[in-house]
Amino acid sequence: MKDFKYIGYPLFIILISGLLYQLVARYISGALGSTLLILIRVCALFSFGMALNKTTRRHMSVWKIVVSVALTIFLVLYELGAFALPILSDFLSFFGVGGFFICMLYILCGYLFVD
Protein backbone atom coordinates (compact mmCIF):
# COMPACT_ATOMS: atom_id res chain seq x y z
CA MET A 1 0.00 0.00 0.00
CA LYS A 2 2.91 2.31 0.67
CA ASP A 3 4.16 1.87 -2.91
CA PHE A 4 0.78 2.93 -4.28
CA LYS A 5 1.11 6.21 -2.43
CA TYR A 6 4.48 6.96 -4.01
CA ILE A 7 3.98 5.51 -7.48
CA GLY A 8 0.28 4.88 -7.97
CA TYR A 9 -1.05 8.23 -6.83
CA PRO A 10 1.01 10.30 -9.33
CA LEU A 11 0.15 7.78 -12.06
CA PHE A 12 -3.53 8.03 -11.12
CA ILE A 13 -3.33 11.83 -11.41
CA ILE A 14 -1.77 11.53 -14.86
CA LEU A 15 -4.44 9.13 -16.10
CA ILE A 16 -7.45 11.00 -14.71
CA SER A 17 -6.21 14.42 -15.81
CA GLY A 18 -5.40 13.07 -19.29
CA LEU A 19 -8.89 11.63 -19.60
CA LEU A 20 -10.51 14.84 -18.36
CA TYR A 21 -8.34 16.91 -20.70
CA GLN A 22 -9.35 14.80 -23.72
CA LEU A 23 -13.05 14.94 -22.82
CA VAL A 24 -13.01 18.71 -22.49
CA ALA A 25 -10.95 19.11 -25.68
CA ARG A 26 -13.39 16.92 -27.61
CA TYR A 27 -16.74 18.18 -26.35
CA ILE A 28 -16.24 21.82 -25.36
CA SER A 29 -14.99 24.33 -27.90
CA GLY A 30 -14.37 28.04 -28.07
CA ALA A 31 -13.04 30.34 -25.40
CA LEU A 32 -14.60 28.34 -22.59
CA GLY A 33 -12.92 25.18 -23.82
CA SER A 34 -9.46 26.74 -24.02
CA THR A 35 -9.85 28.30 -20.57
CA LEU A 36 -10.95 24.97 -19.10
CA LEU A 37 -8.01 23.20 -20.75
CA ILE A 38 -5.55 25.63 -19.17
CA LEU A 39 -7.18 25.25 -15.76
CA ILE A 40 -7.20 21.44 -16.03
CA ARG A 41 -3.53 21.47 -16.99
CA VAL A 42 -2.61 23.76 -14.10
CA CYS A 43 -4.57 21.71 -11.55
CA ALA A 44 -3.11 18.46 -12.89
CA LEU A 45 0.47 19.73 -12.77
CA PHE A 46 0.06 21.31 -9.34
CA SER A 47 -1.47 18.14 -7.88
CA PHE A 48 1.20 16.04 -9.61
CA GLY A 49 3.86 18.13 -7.86
CA MET A 50 2.05 17.64 -4.58
CA ALA A 51 1.96 13.87 -5.15
CA LEU A 52 5.70 13.78 -5.83
CA ASN A 53 6.51 15.03 -2.34
CA LYS A 54 7.13 11.85 -0.36
CA THR A 55 7.60 13.49 3.00
CA THR A 56 5.09 14.90 5.39
CA ARG A 57 5.19 18.50 6.43
CA ARG A 58 8.37 19.08 8.32
CA HIS A 59 8.18 22.81 8.80
CA MET A 60 5.07 24.87 8.82
CA SER A 61 6.63 27.57 6.67
CA VAL A 62 3.92 29.94 5.62
CA TRP A 63 6.19 31.74 3.16
CA LYS A 64 6.65 28.70 0.91
CA ILE A 65 2.90 28.20 0.77
CA VAL A 66 2.22 31.87 0.05
CA VAL A 67 4.92 32.09 -2.62
CA SER A 68 3.81 28.88 -4.34
CA VAL A 69 0.15 29.91 -4.40
CA ALA A 70 0.94 33.48 -5.50
CA LEU A 71 3.25 32.29 -8.27
CA THR A 72 0.66 29.77 -9.45
CA ILE A 73 -2.11 32.37 -9.55
CA PHE A 74 0.19 34.82 -11.34
CA LEU A 75 1.15 32.25 -13.98
CA VAL A 76 -2.46 31.13 -14.50
CA LEU A 77 -3.62 34.71 -15.00
CA TYR A 78 -0.69 35.33 -17.35
CA GLU A 79 -1.54 32.24 -19.41
CA LEU A 80 -5.23 33.10 -19.52
CA GLY A 81 -4.35 36.54 -20.87
CA ALA A 82 -5.80 38.47 -17.94
CA PHE A 83 -2.94 40.94 -18.28
CA ALA A 84 -0.27 41.61 -20.86
CA LEU A 85 3.01 43.09 -19.82
CA PRO A 86 5.41 43.51 -22.74
CA ILE A 87 8.40 43.74 -20.39
CA LEU A 88 7.44 40.46 -18.74
CA SER A 89 6.94 38.76 -22.10
CA ASP A 90 10.35 39.97 -23.28
CA PHE A 91 11.96 38.84 -20.02
CA LEU A 92 10.42 35.37 -20.20
CA SER A 93 11.27 34.93 -23.86
CA PHE A 94 14.87 36.08 -23.24
CA PHE A 95 15.35 33.28 -20.71
CA GLY A 96 13.43 30.80 -22.85
CA VAL A 97 10.59 30.38 -20.38
CA GLY A 98 7.82 28.93 -22.49
CA GLY A 99 5.06 26.41 -22.06
CA PHE A 100 7.26 23.53 -20.95
CA PHE A 101 9.14 25.55 -18.36
CA ILE A 102 5.95 27.11 -17.04
CA CYS A 103 4.65 23.56 -16.57
CA MET A 104 7.78 22.75 -14.61
CA LEU A 105 7.10 25.80 -12.42
CA TYR A 106 3.57 24.52 -11.70
CA ILE A 107 4.99 21.18 -10.60
CA LEU A 108 7.57 22.93 -8.41
CA CYS A 109 4.85 25.08 -6.83
CA GLY A 110 2.80 21.99 -6.03
CA TYR A 111 5.86 20.32 -4.51
CA LEU A 112 6.65 23.39 -2.39
CA PHE A 113 3.02 23.72 -1.32
CA VAL A 114 3.14 20.34 0.41
CA ASP A 115 6.71 20.56 1.70
Side-chain angles (χ1 to χ4, degrees):
M1 191 66 180
K2 190 175 181 181
D3 289 337
F4 179 77
K5 181 180 174 186
Y6 296 136
I7 297 169
Y9 189 59
L11 183 62
F12 181 72
I13 290 172
I14 291 171
L15 293 175
I16 294 299
S17 61
L19 177 66
L20 186 61
Y21 192 88
Q22 288 300 322
L23 287 174
V24 169
R26 180 169 293 174
Y27 296 114
I28 299 177
S29 62
L32 177 64
S34 64
T35 302
L36 280 175
L37 289 176
I38 289 173
L39 292 176
I40 289 170
R41 185 171 49 96
V42 168
C43 290
L45 291 170
F46 193 85
S47 60
F48 182 71
M50 288 173 56
L52 289 179
N53 195 346
K54 296 180 182 179
T55 60
T56 57
R57 286 189 176 202
R58 293 182 303 256
H59 311 300
M60 294 301 289
S61 175
V62 176
W63 292 110
K64 284 196 291 187
I65 294 172
V66 170
V67 167
S68 67
V69 169
L71 182 62
T72 302
I73 291 171
F74 174 77
L75 289 173
V76 168
L77 291 176
Y78 178 73
E79 277 194 289
L80 289 174
F83 58 88
L85 299 172
I87 295 171
L88 178 64
S89 299
D90 293 340
F91 178 76
L92 292 176
S93 66
F94 177 75
F95 285 105
V97 177
F100 178 71
F101 295 105
I102 289 177
C103 290
M104 290 172 52
L105 285 173
Y106 288 135
I107 293 171
L108 177 67
C109 287
Y111 183 84
L112 290 176
F113 183 78
V114 176
D115 190 31

